[in-house]
Amino acid sequence: MSKVTQIKISPNDHRRYRHFTLKNGLSVLLVEDNEATQSAASMAVAVGHFDDPVARPGMAHFLEHMLFLGTEKYPESGEYSAFINQHGGTNNAWTGTEHTNFFYSINAEQFEDSLDRFSQFFIAPLFNIDLVDRERHAIESEFSMKLKDDVRRVYQVQKETVNPAHPFSKFSVGNLKTLAGKEEELRQELLEFYQQKYSANIMTLCLVAPKSLDELASLAEQYFSDISDHTRTDLYPDVAIYLPEQLQSQINIIPLKEQKRVAITFALPELERFYKHKPLTFVSHLLGYEGKGSLLSYLKECGLANNLSAGGGVNGYNFKDYNISIQLTDRGLADLDEVISATFEYINLIKTQGLQSWRYDERAALLQIAFQYQEQVNALDLASHLSINMHHYDIEDVIYGDYRMDGLHLEETQALLSLMTPENMRLQLIASELNTNKKAAWYHSPYQIKAISSGRLTHWSQTNVREQLYLPSKNPFIINECIARPDKSNNPVPTVVAQKPGYRIWHRKDDEFNVPKGHLYLSLDSAQAAASPKHAALTRLYVEMLLDYLTECTYQAEVAGLSYNIYPHQGGITLHLTGFTGKQETLLELVIEKARERNFTQSRFELIKRQILRAWYNHSQAKPISQLFTSLTVTLQKRSFEPTRMAEILEEITLDDLHAHVKSFYEKIHLEGLVYGDWLESETKVLGDRLERILSLVTTPSRESSRELIDLSNKGTLLREIPVSHPDSSIIVYYQSDVATPETMALFSLLNHTMSSTFFHELRTQRQLGYMVGTGYLPLNRYPGIIFYIQSPTCGPQLLLEAIDEFIADFTYAVLQITNEQWEATKHGLVNQVLVKDSSLKVRSQRYWSSIGNKDYNFNQRELVAEQIKQLTRADLIKFIMQKMRTKHCDRLVLFSTGDTHHDQVPLESDKMITDLRAFKQDAAQFNY
């Protein structure tokens, strides 16, 4: 083993770390976490789609899939996933441009057994020839599912308009065409690719577990030393991503979803060597500023743009595509040159006035505070993140590297800014009304690439900065020193500290996570919030208008780590504030004060209204399965409505309608709040008194709004078809509990836990019905339920429903064949999942708030459910399936869409079709809570 490197960690991190390198060259990071209930492992391999053979696009992705399907030691194709799932874990993988990442979590007791299985992926995979054809069909399903995804469609245009000699130009996903040919030949190519590319010296392994570092080192050595090392050193070609003629060009792309966006892109060198000073993070901090005087503020004021982000774009071994992405209004699209002029003026402002140490130090201080009070993440996310970081940072910075800003390096920053010129730029314009003359391969996106005229380039090169643009002043919200107070909590769970008619505030002082942060949730219930589609549309419009109105005055608080969100729900709206406690009250006062002003202008009203309409209309272009998920809640929740229906109503709504709605919304309010974190009880009581005073000025107390859920009891199998234009068909089958008790919650969640990996393996891996295949435990308005879902490029809804019914019918036999030992292990795995330890202040605050929403006022529902799971027998589960799910007349809801390629198949029909949703919801019995 190699010498130990000292890894820099946050003072708030209780974990212990060690790095070493195995004899085969494998770089290993060990994380001892004695507070974790789950263990996790992640392997990051420096192989991605850039490595694909020219004749085999998608090979790296195909290999990633195949590694899951059996090894010499564990030959069963579904064994690994079933083992992980049975023991309360989860697993996944992804293939990127230059890396592939495999990761999983599992109950701590089974960690060693899981490592034995996982390590075999990289030692002796089988590449079973019988599975080669099946898995390339899975790749085809994944490709087919994203055919109408605008992100993929735009990405493909970008690939076609770069230097064809650069590996970025390769088609990354793969499909049946690129993976065509005889199975034997394809398997041989796969094997050669694996043997040539996968080598221990370019792999990084991270293990996280409640085990000592010495034990973990022993496990790493035992299970991963046999990975072969052929000291792979091949490099990607040293060619520029853009040819000279591909710069100074404008690319027009027509999307499927309604959107208007421009990406101003600069070709920069690779960034890894800059990570200690992060000059681009600093530049993006200034460019992305949203307060008064900022580029976005100016563009919004002129009615040219709605949104702006700086710093995105693809990057790799020898390039960074630096994007300033601007969401345009109709006027902004028509006056694009003015938008770009203003952008270059702001860049010039940064070049001439922005490179001051105090500005850099502000950004660095924020990262330093974030590092100092770093909140923990779960074992799985930690392992995955660190295994990738090991490829990008020095080992001592594997954690700190994300936060490190060692001071303003003028030379580096000026060098990068000097490349942000019209001469080194490409424009990517996305809108439905553009001229195009080409279609991209694979995704068929219409586009055009043309040179930008010298006149436009000259115009953008002028250096005068209009007076409306100026850099931000010092940020008053930044706290240089904040320390969590040592006071202990008086109670193990939140308690009510302030209560009057129409108003209740819960509080708990955190004494575990040791961060000077707080989470404030305030839910305002109003009977006017979602009483009809019009009310719901107006509430959403009000929330979006309010968020837009607050942006400028709260942006510096957001930058300083004080964030907030406002969102609508079935009963009203919720405000969630989070961040450092020293300035939280100041931000809350600001938000409430501005919310009460409600100075909405006609021009912003029109723009925000169009934005919401665009989002709602675009929903019809989402993946079929996504549309069905939305329709599921719309069908079952009395106060949820179809986006298209709300859009039709919103078209007619005026600013006067909005003002009238806001007035009626606040006439009768019920407030429920939670304050959790570094807040004392006395402070929360004072806050509660102030909130009550504010409310008494504008409202009278009210009861909580009801949240009605359609009761499917005695309805039989109800069907509803959702019209979707897409090649794939999709289906969701939903079973609902008619009571909300810990016992039914235990039954439904155990059923899902027991079924999920088998359902996936049989219907996706074996029968190849589609890429999106799964089950899910789905409580709605507290009532437990289970769903089965498939999006399929090959089968229509009738065949999909038959396949699901067949699976359910056969599953009782599968339960009978489980040994007692397996049954107890399955239950134990689920209990561990249910009782998983909160990893951070944020996670715990979400759980507390969720409990309050579910009226779990003892905050012990999960413990009660876990106790019920422990008592359930296989006979209980079989009886439950037989009674609830195995008859043709069982109560359930089936939502489906028929793919464009499946209209010739037998249609799914019934005499119990929901054709008039409004009438169905009006007449149906319902649960209230």
Side-chain angles (χ1 to χ4, degrees), residues 52-60 136 171 177-182 185-186 189:
D52 287 347
V54 174
R56 283 289 187 207
M59 183 61 97
R136 67 178 162 189
F171 170 51
K177 284 182 182 166
T178 70
L179 300 172
K182 291 180 180 173
E185 290 171 7
L186 183 56
E189 289 177 50

Side-chain angles (χ1 to χ4, degrees), residues 504-521:
R504 178 168 51 195
I505 302 284
W506 299 77
H507 165 263
R508 182 169 183 248
K509 166 73 173 71
D510 172 65
D511 53 12
E512 180 179 339
F513 295 108
N514 191 37
V515 286
K517 293 180 181 179
H519 284 264
L520 277 71
Y521 294 88

Side-chain angles (χ1 to χ4, degrees), residues 485 507 581 585 678-688:
R485 291 173 291 189
H507 165 263
T581 39
E585 274 190 275
D678 193 28
W679 279 74
L680 304 180
E681 188 175 319
S682 55
E683 294 168 335
T684 306
K685 284 178 175 171
V686 171
L687 175 68

Side-chain angles (χ1 to χ4, degrees), residues 671-742:
L671 172 74
E672 182 110 53
L674 166 69
V675 178
Y676 169 63
D678 193 28
W679 279 74
L680 304 180
E681 188 175 319
S682 55
E683 294 168 335
T684 306
K685 284 178 175 171
V686 171
L687 175 68
D689 289 344
R690 284 189 24 236
L691 287 171
E692 192 211 355
R693 274 201 308 278
I694 292 166
L695 280 174
S696 67
L697 299 174
V698 292
T699 184
T700 54
S702 168
R703 285 181 311 184
E704 216 178 327
S705 298
S706 61
R707 287 130 165 96
E708 303 95 344
L709 181 73
I710 302 299
D711 179 359
L712 296 179
S713 305
N714 306 313
K715 289 274 197 307
T717 295
L718 295 172
L719 274 74
R720 182 171 176 228
E721 182 166 17
I722 309 299
V724 176
S725 175
H726 193 281
D728 294 0
S729 290
S730 59
I731 191 166
I732 289 179
V733 181
Y734 164 79
Y735 295 87
Q736 177 191 71
S737 173
D738 52 6
V739 289
T741 63

Side-chain angles (χ1 to χ4, degrees), residues 45-54 56-68 93-102 127 139 142 170-174 178-179 186 189-190 193-194 197-198 232 236:
V45 188
V47 175
H49 86 76
F50 280 8
D51 295 275
D52 287 347
V54 174
R56 283 289 187 207
M59 183 61 97
H61 183 211
F62 184 42
L63 172 59
E64 172 226 304
H65 276 236
M66 289 299 295
L67 289 183
F68 281 88
W94 53 260
T95 304
T97 52
E98 299 171 28
H99 296 92
T100 304
N101 189 202
F102 304 83
F127 301 129
I139 297 280
E142 189 175 347
K170 295 177 183 179
F171 170 51
S172 57
V173 182
T178 70
L179 300 172
L186 183 56
E189 289 177 50
L190 191 67
F193 183 78
Y194 173 78
K197 299 289 183 180
Y198 271 49
R232 201 190 130 203
Y236 296 125

Side-chain angles (χ1 to χ4, degrees), residues 889-910:
H889 310 291
C890 57
D891 298 328
R892 61 182 180 171
L893 174 64
V894 178
L895 297 179
F896 66 95
S897 68
T898 306
D900 301 339
T901 55
H902 301 150
H903 289 296
D904 57 341
Q905 296 186 18
V906 177
L908 180 52
E909 294 174 328
S910 162

